Amino acid sequence: MNWILLIIAGLFEVAFAACLGKAKEATGAEATYWYIGFLICLAASMSLLIKATQELPIGTAYAVWTGIGAIGTVLVGIFFFKEPATFWRLFFITTLIASVIGLKMVSH
């Protein structure tokens, strides 16, 4: 169950980063709404991370959480913000995915 909470926390990390990206593009009230979404996603992500680390090792949980956030944010950047999808970006995202899976496999 804690791994599921950690994955959801990582997805909320992606969401708060995406909200920041959208807020940067917006103006006025729309930007305010994106910043509010950022704060809600940030609170949800941190709360779930805290809950997950009550049972999982902090080093592993934090690395997986940031890995999910990094991978997801790069993919959101590529698909929604038209950031480049170069060979090297995709190569290193793939190695990051392998590292996150490896940490899950060797954790107790």
Side-chain angles (χ1 to χ4, degrees):
M1 182 60 165
N2 290 304
W3 282 102
I4 293 169
L5 294 177
L6 186 60
I7 291 168
I8 296 168
L11 294 175
F12 272 110
E13 184 183 5
V14 174
F16 77 66
C19 286
L20 282 178
K22 293 299 283 183
K24 184 176 79 171
E25 295 176 349
T27 58
E30 184 182 353
T32 302
Y33 296 140
W34 284 112
Y35 285 123
I36 291 169
F38 162 78
L39 291 173
I40 292 167
C41 291
L42 176 66
S45 182
M46 291 296 152
S47 298
L48 291 167
L49 177 63
I50 290 167
K51 180 70 176 157
T53 58
Q54 291 174 351
E55 298 291 325
L56 300 174
I58 186 69
T60 300
Y62 185 76
V64 169
W65 177 75
T66 57
I68 292 168
I71 293 162
T73 302
V74 168
L75 293 176
V76 165
I78 290 169
F79 291 115
F80 295 103
F81 295 107
K82 307 300 182 227
E83 294 177 0
T86 64
F87 169 79
W88 288 112
R89 276 187 102 193
L90 298 176
F91 172 78
F92 286 115
I93 285 297
T94 303
T95 62
L96 187 54
I97 292 168
S99 297
V100 168
I101 292 169
L103 280 172
K104 165 65 171 98
M105 291 174 59
V106 300
S107 295
H108 296 61

